[in-house]
Amino acid sequence: MSNSYSASYAAAGVNIEAGYEGVKLMKKHVERTMIPGVVSDLGGFGGLFAPDMTGMKEPVLVSGTDGVGTKQRIAQLMNKHDTVGIDCVAMCVNDIICCGAKPIFFLDYIAIGRNEAEKVAELVSGVAEGCVQAGCALIGGETAEHPGTMSADDYDLAGFSVGIVDKAKVIDHNKMSEGDVILALPSSGIHSNGYSLVRKVFDVEHCDLGKVYDELGQSLGETLLTPTKIYVKPVLAAITAADIRGISHITGGGFYENIPRAIPNGLCAKIEKAAVKTPAIFHLIQKLGDIDEHDMFNTFNMGVGMAVTVSRDTADAALAALKAQGVDAYVLGEVVAGEDKVVLC
C-alpha cells in the first residue's frame, strides 16, 4: 500500500494512510475471534465463512443488524471507546438468539469524522470482545471517514450478524400455553436503549460524568457505559436443557413492546412488578427525570435483559442451565389467557 496516497483526497479531509494503520492495529483483536469456519483473512472485499451444518436437516440463516445509538455519545465525552463495540455486537446477536440461532459471524461499520487509527482500533477491540463472548467470528468490516459531515471527534458504530439454526429447532411461540413460566435474565444496566432520555435527564453535555453517586457505587459515566450483556451462550444452554417456547430481547420499547413480540394471540404475559430486580441507575433516572412508572417500563429494560418463556415442567431445568452459565435468572411471571399480550401487576 506504499503507493496508495492521494494529496488531493488528503486535502479534502480523508486520510487513507490512517485507514491502513487502523487495519494493522485491529488485526490482533480480530484474531481473537477466529473460530472454525473462517475462510478469509481481514482486508479482502468480502468475509468468507463455511458454516458447520453437521446434523442439520434444514439449515436456516438468521440475520440481525443494529447500532449502539446515542450511548456512543457517552463514550465520546469520556474518551473511552473500548466497550461500545460490545454493545454493538450484543444488540445484534441477542436478537438472533431469540430465534434459537447460534451467531456464526459478525461485520462492523464505523463512520468517523476524522480517522484516528488508535481510536478505530479501540472501537474494534470492543467489537472483538463482544464476538468472543458470543462465540462468533469478526470476519470483516468497514471504516469510512466523513469529513465535513461529522465533527472530527464524532463516530457512529453499527454492525451486522448472521446465525444458523436447524428449521425444526427454531423457537416457535405458538407452542406457548397457559401456565408456562416466564424467566428474567438480568441486565447489566441500561444496555443500549433509551439513551436520548438518559442524556436529557443527566444533561450529559454539561454534567460531571466522573461524579460518584452513593447508590451507584461508581461514577455516573462508568455506570452509563456498562456494556450490554450478551446472552448467547446461556440461552443456547437453556434451549438444550429445557422446552423454551418464547424469547424476548428487552430493548427499545421496554416490556410493553418487546415481550408481546414473542406472545401468540389469545395469551398474555403476566409480569409481577414486585419480582423485577431493578438496578439503582433506573431508580435514579426515574427520580431525577420525574418519569412515571409506565414510561420507565416502556422505555428501559428495568433490569431484565431478556425474558424467556419455558414450559412449567422444565422451568427448573432452564434455571439450572442458566445459573450454570453464570446468569442469576429468576421467575418473572407466567403466561395466562388474555388479549393484552403483556400485563404488569
Side-chain angles (χ1 to χ4, degrees):
M1 296 293 185
S2 58
N3 294 326
S4 183
Y5 174 75
S6 169
S8 299
Y9 211 9
V14 176
N15 188 340
I16 297 175
E17 292 179 312
Y20 299 147
E21 181 62 22
V23 172
K24 290 179 183 177
L25 293 176
M26 69 178 68
K27 278 190 174 182
K28 64 181 180 181
H29 303 299
V30 175
E31 287 172 356
R32 296 181 57 218
T33 76
M34 294 298 98
I35 60 174
V38 176
V39 176
S40 56
D41 292 325
L42 190 67
F45 287 100
L48 280 64
F49 193 92
D52 180 5
M53 296 181 287
T54 304
M56 294 187 185
K57 294 182 179 180
E58 294 183 82
V60 176
L61 295 179
V62 182
S63 60
T65 185
D66 210 335
V68 183
T70 63
K71 181 175 185 175
Q72 60 199 6
R73 182 57 185 155
I74 310 297
Q76 291 162 7
L77 289 168
M78 295 183 65
N79 195 28
K80 179 176 171 52
H81 314 286
D82 61 345
T83 61
V84 287
I86 300 173
D87 294 292
C88 187
V89 175
M91 296 305 292
C92 298
V93 299
N94 284 346
D95 279 353
I96 286 175
I97 195 63
C98 290
C99 301
K102 181 186 185 303
I104 53 178
F105 62 79
F106 188 88
L107 291 89
D108 61 19
Y109 176 81
I110 302 169
I112 193 164
R114 181 179 60 232
N115 195 341
E116 299 176 35
E118 293 79 7
K119 181 186 288 186
V120 170
E122 198 174 352
L123 287 165
V124 173
S125 74
V127 175
E129 173 59 28
C131 288
V132 169
Q133 291 182 24
C136 66
L138 177 57
I139 63 170
E142 177 70 16
T143 302
E145 197 166 15
H146 288 184
T149 63
M150 303 175 77
S151 66
D153 293 333
D154 197 12
Y155 59 78
D156 189 28
L157 174 62
F160 170 85
S161 187
V162 170
I164 192 167
V165 61
D166 198 350
K167 187 176 181 179
K169 294 183 178 180
V170 172
I171 302 299
D172 182 7
H173 68 246
N174 290 308
K175 292 171 55 183
M176 202 175 292
S177 62
E178 290 183 65
D180 286 348
V181 177
I182 303 169
L183 306 179
L185 278 60
S187 70
S188 56
I190 306 171
H191 281 185
S192 301
N193 300 100
Y195 273 82
S196 292
L197 179 55
V198 169
R199 290 184 301 112
K200 179 177 182 293
V201 167
F202 291 106
D203 189 17
V204 298
E205 298 294 330
H206 305 101
C207 79
D208 178 10
L209 288 169
K211 178 180 178 179
V212 175
Y213 287 81
D214 291 339
E215 53 265 67
L216 301 180
Q218 60 181 355
S219 74
L220 176 62
E222 288 174 307
T223 302
L224 298 184
L225 270 189
T226 301
T228 304
K229 190 169 288 189
I230 292 176
Y231 298 100
V232 171
K233 294 176 183 178
V235 170
L236 286 174
I239 289 172
T240 300
D243 180 11
I244 305 299
R245 297 180 172 182
I247 305 174
S248 296
H249 183 198
I250 311 302
T251 56
F255 281 50
Y256 288 105
E257 288 189 23
N258 291 292
I259 292 178
R261 294 167 68 179
I263 304 291
N265 292 333
L267 294 177
C268 173
K270 181 182 177 183
I271 305 298
E272 301 290 340
K273 284 190 291 187
V276 180
K277 299 177 181 179
T278 303
I281 183 61
F282 295 106
H283 298 305
L284 187 60
I285 291 169
Q286 184 173 12
K287 175 184 174 183
L288 296 181
D290 191 24
I291 303 169
D292 66 45
E293 183 181 71
H294 178 276
D295 284 358
M296 290 296 295
F297 277 93
N298 204 176
T299 304
F300 301 108
N301 67 62
M302 298 302 285
V304 179
M306 277 199 163
V308 175
T309 303
V310 59
S311 65
R312 184 167 292 276
D313 62 339
T314 64
D316 287 343
L319 284 168
L322 290 165
K323 290 182 179 181
Q325 290 286 323
V327 177
D328 192 18
Y330 60 91
V331 175
L332 183 66
E334 65 176 338
V335 176
V336 298
E339 296 298 332
D340 291 328
K341 292 292 186 82
V342 62
V343 172
L344 277 65
C345 56

